[in-house]
Amino acid sequence: MAYQPRLIVQPPLGGAVYRQLREQAPPSVASGDVVVDAGPTDAEGRLEALPGQVVLSLPSPEALKREAEEVRHVIGQAGIGVEPLVVVVEAAEELREEELAVLLDAASHTERAVILRIMGDA
């Protein structure tokens, strides 16, 4: 079976998070546990709509830590399916290792792909 990352981060191509992850990759990105897959943007620099089952929407990456139990719950209880599970963050300037760790932990409770979708810069 082919290797699949535990978490996919989809920031807007050329946005702040995309640049940060390329220039200063957190350990989970450097190790390959997290893969960065930048997506196309609209005229305002916001990520265009992409497929997946949105299970949670948060205003910022900091909310991942504050809502860690909720993140684990919604991902762990999403059930089986083929669509990836998507956690949407409306705006971000950077992602920290501790924020990614919340999603990596939650992703270990499902067989489905988990995507963190960053819609735009803060």
Side-chain angles (χ1 to χ4, degrees):
M1 186 168 104
Y3 170 77
Q4 293 198 5
R6 292 175 52 203
L7 175 65
I8 300 167
V9 176
Q10 291 179 329
L13 183 62
V17 170
Y18 175 75
R19 291 190 309 272
Q20 177 236 336
L21 294 176
R22 291 195 58 173
E23 295 166 8
Q24 305 167 3
S28 58
V29 174
S31 73
D33 284 337
V34 175
V35 171
V36 179
D37 180 25
T41 60
D42 62 18
E44 287 82 40
R46 305 256 319 144
L47 196 62
E48 290 183 358
L50 296 167
Q53 178 185 343
V54 176
V55 294
L56 188 63
S57 184
L58 301 166
S60 68
E62 293 83 5
L64 290 166
K65 281 183 61 182
R66 286 192 308 270
E67 304 292 331
E69 284 300 317
E70 179 69 10
V71 172
R72 278 191 281 281
H73 177 75
V74 297
I75 289 175
Q77 299 300 313
I80 60 172
V82 294
E83 272 193 308
L85 302 175
V86 179
V87 175
V88 173
V89 167
E90 290 301 321
E93 288 298 317
E94 69 176 329
L95 279 175
R96 295 173 194 86
E97 184 65 25
E98 57 268 17
E99 295 155 352
L100 292 169
V102 170
L103 285 163
L104 285 168
D105 176 60
S108 70
H109 298 283
T110 183
E111 295 295 318
R112 295 169 72 177
V114 176
I115 296 172
L116 172 61
R117 192 166 288 156
I118 309 292
M119 298 308 294
D121 290 349

